[in-house]
Every structure is written in C-alpha cells, then in structure tokens.
Amino acid sequence: MKTLRGLSFTLLSARHNKAQFDCGVPCLNHYLAEYAGQDIRERFTQCYAAADNDNNVLGFYTLSSYAVNINALTASASQKLPRYPTVPTALLGRLAVDLRYQGKGLGGSLIVDAIYNTQRSAIGVWAINARVKNASAKSFYIKYGFYSFEKNQQSLYLPLHSDITRNISFLNLL
C-alpha cells in the first residue's frame, strides 16, 4: 500500500520524473509530459508537483492568475467586495493524482498546497477558482470548502478569507 510519507511538494522542474505518471485521464498525462514545462518557462502557469524520494511525480496542479466577473458570484459572496467589475483569483487549472495514489488523500494535500502557495503570493488574490468537468470532480472540490458560482455550476471558488484557508495559514502546514 502506498502512503503519503516522504513526499515533497515543489515547483515542477527538470529533476522530476514524469514518465511513469498516469492519472487515468490522457489529456492530463499528456499535459504533464509535454506542456507543463513550456507553460512554466513562458510564465503562463506555475506547476507544482508532489513527488516521492526518487522525484517521481505522484500528483500535480497548476496555478495561474485569473479574474472572475463579480456578477458571477452569489449576492452574499459579493456584498462585502469592492464594486470592481472583476475579482482577482488564482486559477487552479489542472489537478491530477497518479492512479496508484488516488483515494489516499493526495488530492486534498495538493489543494492544501495550492491554498498555501496562493496565500504566499506577492499579488492580490481574493479566491482560488477551479473549473470542473463532472459531478465527481465537483463533489471533490466542495468537500474542501469550494462554492459554486451562481451562474456557472461548473466553476467553483474558495475565498482566501474562509475558515479553511485561515486555518491553513495559521497552522503553516506546509
């Protein structure tokens, strides 16, 4: 049985072994193998990897800047925000876990790492935004405190001032 002990969470680099990674979703496997490094070099995204002691990638996620139309938020979410047309967010664009590690908590650990890295960002970010492709992915994110947008149920957000994110910052978990 694979455990989460001994994993490191770092920016993806040339030292990481991506060849054995298989999350069961061909387009995510292909992205990691072929495009993640290029996107990092071009500064389109940052790709973070969870790796074992041999630098084998066991999971990854991407973060990039994004803006959400304030009208897409629920009234209760937007009532305390400035009346700007958009709200700055970090887009959690891709998140994938190797099949051998699925169901063992690594996906949640990747979300915690994404929250931590977003909070440490030097730019202003109100929330983390994620797009989901199916009901299973949506329930996964909701389990970690994400909310659905009012007008687009396939996009979710997690305000960085929520209890979940405050606790992560307070505990300095990573």
Side-chain angles (χ1 to χ4, degrees), residues 54-66:
D54 295 322
N55 286 319
N56 296 307
V57 175
L58 308 177
F60 74 94
Y61 67 90
T62 62
L63 286 176
S64 58
S65 62
Y66 196 71

Side-chain angles (χ1 to χ4, degrees), residues 1-4 97 99-109:
M1 178 178 180
K2 305 287 184 184
T3 67
L4 297 180
V97 175
L99 288 168
R100 298 167 294 167
Y101 286 82
Q102 290 179 8
K104 296 178 174 38
L106 182 53
S109 295

Side-chain angles (χ1 to χ4, degrees), residues 1 3-4 11-13 31 35 40-41 45 47 51 58 60 70 73 83 85 103 110 118 136 138 143 151 170:
M1 178 178 180
T3 67
L4 297 180
L11 282 170
L12 185 71
S13 69
Y31 175 81
Y35 295 107
I40 293 167
R41 284 188 300 280
T45 191
C47 184
L58 308 177
F60 74 94
I70 197 165
L73 300 171
R83 294 291 119 205
L110 290 168
T118 302
S136 174
K138 184 175 182 176
K143 178 173 73 172
K151 297 178 182 168
F170 174 73

Side-chain angles (χ1 to χ4, degrees), residues 1-59:
M1 178 178 180
K2 305 287 184 184
T3 67
L4 297 180
R5 291 183 186 262
L7 296 186
S8 62
F9 294 78
T10 60
L11 282 170
L12 185 71
S13 69
R15 76 175 182 278
H16 286 108
N17 177 11
K18 304 174 281 185
Q20 302 301 314
F21 183 83
D22 181 11
C23 67
V25 180
C27 65
L28 290 172
N29 296 336
H30 185 70
Y31 175 81
L32 179 65
E34 300 295 327
Y35 295 107
Q38 176 182 323
D39 282 358
I40 293 167
R41 284 188 300 280
E42 296 295 328
R43 300 197 49 83
F44 291 135
T45 191
Q46 291 289 6
C47 184
Y48 295 87
D52 63 16
N53 291 331
D54 295 322
N55 286 319
N56 296 307
V57 175
L58 308 177

